Amino acid sequence: MKPRALLSVSEKRGLVELARELVALGWEIVSTGGTAEALRTAGVPVIPIEQVTGFPEMMDGRVKTLHPKVHGGLLARRAHPGDRAALAEHGITPIDLVVVNLYPFRETVAKPGVSFEQAIEQIDIGGPSMLRSAAKNHQDVLVVVDPDDYPVVIAALKADKLTPGLRRRLAAKVFGHTAAYDAAIHGYLVKDAPGWPERITVALERRQELRYGENPHQAAALYATAEPGIRDLEQLSGKELSFNNLLDLDAGLLAVAPWSGRGADRAACAIIKHTTPCGIALGRSPREAYERALATDRTSAFGSVIAYNVTVDRAAAEAMRELFVEVVVAPAFAEDAVRVFQEKKNLRVVRLPVGESMGWDWKRIRGGFLAQERSRLEQVMDETRWNVMTKREPRDVEWRDLRFAWGAVGAVKSNAILLARDEAAIGIGAGQTSRVDASFLAIHKARQQGHDPKGAVLASDAFFPFPDGVEEAAHAGVGAIIQPGGSVKDAEVVAAADQAGLAMVFTGIRQFRH
C-alpha cells in the first residue's frame, strides 16, 4: 500500500513543489477544495477528499474533513491490534502525513472594515482538528503546519531519517500554532466586551535569540505578539541588538510619540539612557532636533539610543558622527544617511514605525502579570481639562513650552521633573524617591550643562505633595509649572506659586511611569 498524504492549505507557498516531491517518492495525495484544484492545475495527481469520505464537501466548504475516514486514518495507532482491526472493518486507509495551515483569521481581522460575519467565516474548524489528531498520533503520523518545514520533511523522507525527535518537534509546533490561533480568536471575541475578561490568552512568537539579557549571565530572547510593534522592526545595519537596546529603543519611540503621526509638523528627537530620556527636543529638521536634544545633557548621551519621529537625513547622520551611540531608530532613513551610519560598524540602525502602542500594557510580577490600558495621548494632551490655578496666566511663550514639557515628561521615569525652554528639555530629574529631589536634580543637571533655569518652565508627572518642590523651582527662577494637581495640599502648592509670581496649570491627569 502506498503511503498517503493529506494536503489542505490556505497558504499555497511551496505546495506544488512539496506535492511533486511526495509523488516522486511514491506517495498518493489526498486533498480538499482550493488545494486540490491548485495541485490538479499543476499536473499533480490528487484523490479528492469526497472520494475518501463518501460525502461531498458541503455548506460552502464548512464540512469536508470532519469524518471518521479522515480522523480514523489519522488517529489509528499502527501497533495497536484494536485500531488495526477498526481500520479493516470500516475500510479506512491510514494517513501517514498531514500538511495543513489554517484560514487567515488574524490577517483578516487586522484589515480595516472587516465585519463580524466575515471574521467568523475565517475561523478554521477542520484544519485544527486534523492537525491536533495527527499531532497526537505523531509517532505514526508526520504533521507539518509551517511551509518552511517542507524541505526538512522531504530531506528526511529521502534519507529515511524520520526520527522520533523530528516527529515530536513538528507535533509540538502544531500545538503551539493552534494555541496561538485560538488565542487570536478569543482575543477578537472579547476585545469589545465591557470589563476585564476572565482569562487572557497571549500568544508570543520568538523573533530572535539574544546574546544575553540585562546582564551577561542572563540568557534572553525576543518574542512578539501579533499586534503592530516590535515585529515590524527592520535592522538596516550594525551588530545584533541587545536586550537593553530593545528596551531603550521602545522607550525612545514612546518619547517621540506625542509629535508623531499625520499632525507632526516638526522633528522630535529623544536621547535615551536606561529607558528614560536624558535629552529631548523639537526642531525644524532632524539635525536641529538632535543638536537641541543633545544639549540637554551631553555627558549622559554617551552610549545612548536615539529616536526620531521623522525620516533621518544625511545632515542628521553627519551631526551624530562624533557621539558614541548604540542604536538610532526612526520610521525611515534616507539612503545617504544609512551610508554615513554604516561607517560605524557597531552602530545599529533600526527602522520601526512611530506612534501610539496598541493593546494592553503589561507589567511582570512574580507569578503573574499586571494588565492596564495604555495611556492615550488624546487624554494626556486634552487641553480642555487644563486649568490655570494661579493669579498669573502663562504667557504665550510659556504656553508653548508647557505643552512641550507636558508631552515630554510622560516618557521620564517617575518621580519625574522636566525643565524646558524653547521646546527643548534643559534639565531632567528622573526616577527619584521624592519629588523635591527630582526638582533639585533637574535644576542641578540644567546648571551642570550650562543652562540657566531662569524663565524656563517645569513639568511634573504627578502632583506636588508639598510646596517644597515648587519653592525649589521658584528659587531657580522657573517661570511656569504644569502638573496634574490632586494633592490634599494643592491650595498650599498654588499659594507658594502665587507668592513666587509663577504661573501654574493643572492638567487633571497623571503620567506615572514605573
Side-chain angles (χ1 to χ4, degrees):
M1 181 183 298
K2 284 186 175 184
R4 173 173 283 190
L6 195 161
L7 278 54
S8 181
V9 296
S10 176
E11 182 184 350
K12 304 298 191 292
R13 175 169 59 96
L15 169 68
V16 171
E17 294 80 2
L18 172 70
R20 284 174 174 159
E21 292 277 16
L22 290 172
V23 170
L25 289 170
W27 287 64
E28 63 181 12
I29 308 294
V30 175
S31 193
T32 65
T35 305
E37 183 60 32
L39 293 176
R40 278 192 291 265
T41 300
V44 178
V46 174
I47 300 172
I49 192 68
E50 54 266 31
Q51 187 174 318
V52 173
T53 63
F55 278 84
E57 295 186 23
M58 62 182 72
M59 302 177 186
D60 297 324
R62 280 189 164 202
V63 179
K64 48 183 178 279
T65 60
L66 297 171
H67 194 279
K69 288 205 171 183
V70 173
H71 289 274
L74 295 173
L75 287 165
R77 294 159 291 186
R78 307 309 195 253
H80 191 282
D83 288 4
R84 292 202 308 270
L87 290 174
E89 179 182 355
H90 298 287
I92 299 173
T93 301
I95 298 171
D96 306 291
L97 168 64
V98 168
V99 179
V100 169
N101 54 60
L102 307 177
Y103 295 168
F105 178 83
R106 281 178 292 188
E107 294 80 359
T108 298
V109 299
K111 297 174 182 176
V114 172
S115 68
F116 181 77
E117 290 73 18
Q118 288 171 319
I120 292 300
E121 284 306 308
Q122 291 302 315
I123 297 176
D124 202 328
I125 302 300
S129 299
M130 289 188 290
L131 285 172
R132 290 173 61 85
S133 293
K136 178 176 180 177
N137 199 26
H138 65 270
Q139 291 176 319
D140 292 318
V141 182
L142 197 61
V143 59
V144 185
V145 72
D146 184 353
D148 288 341
D149 289 323
Y150 294 171
V152 175
V153 170
I154 291 299
L157 288 172
K158 286 180 175 179
D160 195 22
K161 290 185 178 179
L162 286 176
T163 63
L166 175 61
R167 289 177 175 274
R168 183 167 180 168
R169 180 173 67 81
L170 293 172
K173 199 167 189 176
V174 161
F175 285 114
H177 185 82
T178 57
Y181 194 77
D182 286 342
I185 296 168
H186 175 253
Y188 175 79
L189 292 175
V190 302
K191 68 182 176 68
D192 296 323
W196 288 91
E198 181 181 355
R199 288 182 176 83
I200 297 174
T201 306
V202 179
L204 303 173
E205 179 185 351
R206 192 185 70 207
R207 305 296 287 183
Q208 68 183 90
E209 294 184 15
L210 304 173
R211 288 181 297 150
Y212 53 82
E214 283 184 282
N215 301 289
H217 66 277
Q218 296 169 274
L222 168 64
Y223 287 80
T225 65
E227 61 201 16
I230 204 68
R231 67 168 46 251
D232 302 314
L233 181 151
E234 182 183 1
Q235 185 169 350
L236 304 181
S237 69
K239 65 181 183 181
E240 179 186 346
L241 287 161
S242 73
F243 188 98
N244 293 333
N245 291 158
L246 288 161
L247 287 173
D248 285 341
L249 72 84
D250 186 63
L253 295 179
L254 170 70
V256 298
W259 302 282
S260 303
R262 293 180 182 175
D265 58 353
R266 281 166 298 170
C269 177
I271 302 177
I272 305 295
K273 284 293 287 291
H274 303 296
T275 71
T276 201
C278 63
I280 184 168
L282 302 183
R284 290 167 296 182
S285 68
R287 178 172 185 144
E288 184 183 55
Y290 163 72
E291 290 173 339
R292 302 183 78 229
L294 178 64
T296 305
D297 185 351
R298 293 179 180 274
T299 304
S300 297
F302 181 85
S304 58
V305 168
I306 299 183
Y308 293 89
N309 68 329
V310 294
T311 299
V312 176
D313 57 16
R314 183 184 179 89
E318 294 278 6
M320 295 171 62
R321 278 185 187 277
E322 303 306 315
L323 181 66
F324 169 57
V325 178
E326 292 273 359
V327 184
V328 57
V329 57
F333 294 86
E335 289 185 13
D336 53 358
V338 175
R339 287 195 291 271
V340 172
F341 287 133
Q342 286 173 338
E343 294 173 10
K344 298 181 179 182
K345 65 178 182 179
N346 290 334
L347 172 62
R348 298 115 168 141
V349 179
V350 173
R351 183 160 51 207
L352 191 59
V354 181
E356 287 200 81
S357 298
M358 306 292 289
W360 291 322
D361 186 28
W362 301 90
K363 304 290 185 186
R364 180 77 168 103
I365 58 176
R366 287 175 181 255
F369 292 85
L370 297 169
Q372 65 176 349
E373 294 179 338
R374 291 189 179 273
S375 181
R376 298 199 305 275
L377 288 171
E378 63 187 37
Q379 292 177 306
V380 171
M381 304 304 294
D382 181 7
E383 295 187 29
T384 63
R385 302 174 58 169
W386 296 8
N387 290 296
V388 178
M389 305 302 293
T390 48
K391 295 174 183 176
R392 182 171 82 78
E393 291 259 351
R395 303 179 182 94
D396 288 347
V397 67
E398 290 174 330
W399 270 120
R400 179 199 64 188
D401 286 343
L402 288 170
R403 292 184 183 98
F404 166 78
W406 186 242
V409 77
V412 179
K413 289 284 187 139
S414 302
N415 284 321
I417 296 290
L418 185 141
L419 295 175
R421 179 186 289 113
D422 297 330
E423 296 184 299
I426 62 169
I428 298 173
Q432 301 305 298
T433 52
S434 75
R435 197 151 296 276
V436 67
D437 284 347
S439 298
F440 171 83
L441 181 59
I443 293 164
H444 166 73
K445 296 286 283 187
R447 287 173 171 158
Q448 182 190 62
Q449 296 296 316
H451 302 294
D452 185 356
K454 186 175 181 180
V457 306
L458 180 151
S460 174
D461 67 333
F463 63 65
F464 286 95
F466 305 104
D468 53 2
V470 175
E471 292 163 354
E472 184 80 33
H475 182 70
V478 168
I481 292 175
I482 188 166
Q483 59 132 323
S487 168
V488 295
K489 294 186 180 292
D490 273 350
E492 296 178 33
V493 170
V494 172
D498 277 330
Q499 185 174 353
L502 275 68
M504 181 174 284
V505 176
F506 281 10
T507 65
I509 189 167
R510 191 175 71 184
Q511 292 199 78
F512 269 165
R513 180 170 175 247
H514 284 75

